[in-house]
Amino acid sequence: FGTFDGNNHSITDININSPLIGGYNSLFGYVNGRIINLTLSYKIENFDALTSRSVQYFGAISYLVKGFVKNVKAEGVVEAKVNSGIVGGLVAYLEDSIVESSNAKASISMNANTPTSYIGGCIGVSLTSFIRRCYSEVSISSKAEKYATYAGFIAKNQGVIEDAYAITT
């Protein structure tokens, strides 16, 4: 369990163009720690994993378990074709975690082949997590509406959310 403190700096121009090991398609893949005081700018484009049987995770942070995110701003673009995928402009998947005072500005386009796919402007899926004082500004398009659940802020929530909102275009 470690801490990545961005000290209010930015990491920009993160570009991902091919599937990554384990399906964690972001700068921060599988995280069990703290990410604080950071601005991220990323593009995940022309990503094609239709033949992959594993779930693909997309966002500034792919998978956060028993972690903490605070004062993180993410701006990103995701264009993907997947068999099964979870996208979050900030975090794709949360479990037993806390996200606060953070936001995402994203343009997301995903085609999926299975009904276990989720697109959230800020968070894709949240299980037993706490989200507070967060927002998203997002544009979402999906050519697989019958296969994907999508929403401006969070696509699937089984946790607690306070003081959050989404602006969609």
Side-chain angles (χ1 to χ4, degrees), residues 107-119:
S107 173
I108 301 168
S109 173
M110 184 174 79
N111 295 338
N113 291 333
T114 67
T116 56
S117 296
Y118 300 92
I119 304 168

Side-chain angles (χ1 to χ4, degrees), residues 37 40 45 58 97 152 169:
N37 307 318
L40 299 166
E45 294 183 293
F58 304 93
S97 298
T169 57

Side-chain angles (χ1 to χ4, degrees), residues 98-149:
I98 298 170
V99 176
E100 67 178 66
S101 302
S102 298
N103 67 70
K105 294 181 182 178
S107 173
I108 301 168
S109 173
M110 184 174 79
N111 295 338
N113 291 333
T114 67
T116 56
S117 296
Y118 300 92
I119 304 168
C122 191
I123 310 292
V125 172
S126 172
L127 302 177
T128 61
S129 295
F130 185 71
I131 302 163
R132 172 179 40 214
R133 291 188 299 275
C134 296
Y135 71 91
S136 63
E137 294 179 37
V138 64
S139 169
I140 297 173
S141 66
S142 173
K143 293 183 180 172
E145 288 86 358
K146 70 180 182 177
Y147 293 118
T149 300

Side-chain angles (χ1 to χ4, degrees), residues 4 13 31 34 48 66 73 86-87 149:
F4 186 97
D13 299 325
V31 177
R34 295 166 32 108
D48 192 342
K66 296 183 182 173
K73 296 166 184 60
I86 298 175
V87 181
T149 300

Side-chain angles (χ1 to χ4, degrees), residues 29 56 59 62 67-68 72 78 82 92 96 113 131 135 142 147 153 155 166:
Q56 299 293 316
S62 289
F68 179 74
V72 175
V78 176
V82 295
D96 297 326
N113 291 333
I131 302 163
Y135 71 91
S142 173
Y147 293 118
F153 185 77

